[in-house]
Amino acid sequence: MPGGHLATANRRAMETRSRELQAAEYLEKHRIKELMMDSSNRGTISFVQYKEALKTLGLCTEDEDLEDDGHRITLDQFKDEVNKRIKEIWSAF
């Protein structure tokens, strides 16, 4: 791999890791995992918490229209959406 491509790949990997760390820190800071483990929430977060987390991570704009289907969001669904949005961002490069 030529030097420029290697540097670009390394930068992307570092930035992806940075987003993953931001997501983990957000979940910890806002006690999302703790909320999800509360028996009344059954391992989920509300749509409002979900959208706010995406906005905080820079993965959702204020005016983006996310559909609320009335169901709570699981940690796996949240992680999948974060990963999908990160891949979409990087596909532009």
Side-chain angles (χ1 to χ4, degrees):
M1 187 181 275
H5 293 293
L6 182 59
T8 300
N10 285 338
R11 182 173 39 85
R12 286 182 183 168
M14 287 174 53
E15 289 177 1
T16 296
R17 183 71 182 136
S18 176
R19 288 278 187 191
E20 290 171 354
L21 288 172
Q22 286 178 339
E25 289 169 358
Y26 180 88
L27 290 173
E28 185 176 325
K29 178 180 177 183
H30 296 279
R31 300 176 40 206
I32 300 295
K33 286 184 182 179
E34 191 176 309
L35 288 170
M36 294 179 104
M37 296 308 140
D38 181 344
S39 62
S40 65
N41 292 329
R42 294 194 173 103
T44 62
I45 58 174
S46 71
F47 180 77
V48 172
Q49 292 168 315
Y50 169 75
K51 185 171 182 178
E52 202 54 43
L54 291 176
K55 286 191 312 189
T56 299
L57 295 170
L59 299 174
C60 174
T61 61
E62 186 70 39
D63 60 343
E64 185 173 348
D65 186 25
L66 297 177
E67 289 193 29
D68 181 0
D69 63 4
H71 294 93
R72 295 181 62 85
I73 292 92
T74 66
L75 180 57
D76 286 337
Q77 289 172 316
F78 176 72
K79 289 193 300 188
D80 289 346
E81 186 66 20
V82 168
N83 288 332
K84 181 184 98 179
R85 287 171 179 261
I86 288 171
K87 286 179 184 175
E88 287 173 2
I89 290 167
W90 282 110
S91 70
F93 296 97

